[in-house]
Amino acid sequence: MRLHLRRREEKKIASIKNWTLIYGRRKTGKTTLVKSALKYDTYIIIGDVNNAITQSGEIVRIEKALEEVKRTLKTGGIAVIDEFQRLPEIYWSLIASWRLLVY
């Protein structure tokens, strides 16, 4: 039997439609919360400074993963970049410029 405890943040997460940073202490359930409450189109995990893991479990170069995120945003979809802090800073401005694609 699996027990699912509702968190008060679930409704807020489910209604996300724009750029949002979800942060908090390690091991507090942020990833689980997003995966269970948000209907996303693309989900990637930054593995290290060179690689990312796709939602299907494939290991790809960060550039390829971010191109998928960009495509998703251009079509009005929702993309999640998990473990964002592992992403090299050089990509931060690039991602910030995509904000113009959404509006």
Side-chain angles (χ1 to χ4, degrees), residues 50-91:
N50 297 309
N51 301 297
I53 304 167
T54 66
Q55 54 199 45
S56 65
E58 180 184 4
I59 298 172
V60 298
R61 300 292 294 176
I62 285 179
E63 293 83 1
K64 182 177 179 183
L66 292 179
E67 280 301 316
E68 181 60 30
V69 168
K70 184 178 180 180
R71 273 192 296 280
T72 299
L73 295 175
K74 279 180 95 169
T75 61
I78 295 175
V80 174
I81 303 174
D82 200 351
E83 298 297 345
F84 187 88
Q85 76 278 2
R86 295 180 185 162
L87 191 65
E89 282 187 46
I90 192 142
Y91 296 105

Side-chain angles (χ1 to χ4, degrees), residues 14-65:
S15 66
I16 289 176
K17 299 290 184 236
N18 56 11
W19 291 80
T20 304
L21 173 65
I22 299 171
Y23 64 95
R25 295 177 61 111
R26 295 185 73 227
K27 303 290 184 187
T28 57
K30 296 176 299 293
T31 296
T32 301
L33 177 64
V34 168
K35 284 185 167 184
S36 66
L38 183 65
K39 290 182 174 70
Y40 52 83
D41 302 296
T42 299
Y43 186 97
I44 65 166
I45 302 170
I46 304 300
D48 59 35
V49 295
N50 297 309
N51 301 297
I53 304 167
T54 66
Q55 54 199 45
S56 65
E58 180 184 4
I59 298 172
V60 298
R61 300 292 294 176
I62 285 179
E63 293 83 1
K64 182 177 179 183

